[in-house]
Amino acid sequence: MAAQPVTWDDAPPADRAPSDLVLVRMLYLVATRIFAWLVLLSRSSAAKEAEILILRHEVAVLRRQVAAPKPT
């Protein structure tokens, strides 16, 4: 019988080099950042300004919800 191929999940933790995991995570973060920049570049200025207004409103609402610290 042919042996089953070992997958990433089947490998014991000792066989996984920490540097491999760091490299995969770093590549993922770089790729997501690049895609986010591309999306941002493709937006119109009106869409960007609308998002800024929405975020400012959200900040104002959240600031009203936070109670001021009471001195003890």
Side-chain angles (χ1 to χ4, degrees):
M1 275 194 127
Q4 293 290 333
V6 176
T7 62
W8 183 262
D9 294 331
D10 295 335
D15 290 348
R16 294 183 194 165
S19 61
D20 291 343
L21 296 175
V22 170
L23 179 63
V24 169
R25 180 166 169 77
M26 184 63 106
L27 288 174
Y28 172 76
L29 291 174
V30 168
T32 56
R33 185 68 62 161
I34 289 172
F35 287 131
W37 284 337
L38 291 174
V39 168
L40 189 61
L41 287 174
S42 67
R43 284 188 183 171
S44 68
S45 64
K48 291 177 191 176
E49 290 181 19
E51 183 178 3
I52 289 172
L53 287 174
I54 292 167
L55 291 172
R56 285 181 181 169
H57 177 69
E58 184 178 340
V59 168
V61 168
L62 291 174
R63 283 188 179 157
R64 284 194 301 257
Q65 291 177 354
V66 175
K70 298 177 182 178
T72 56

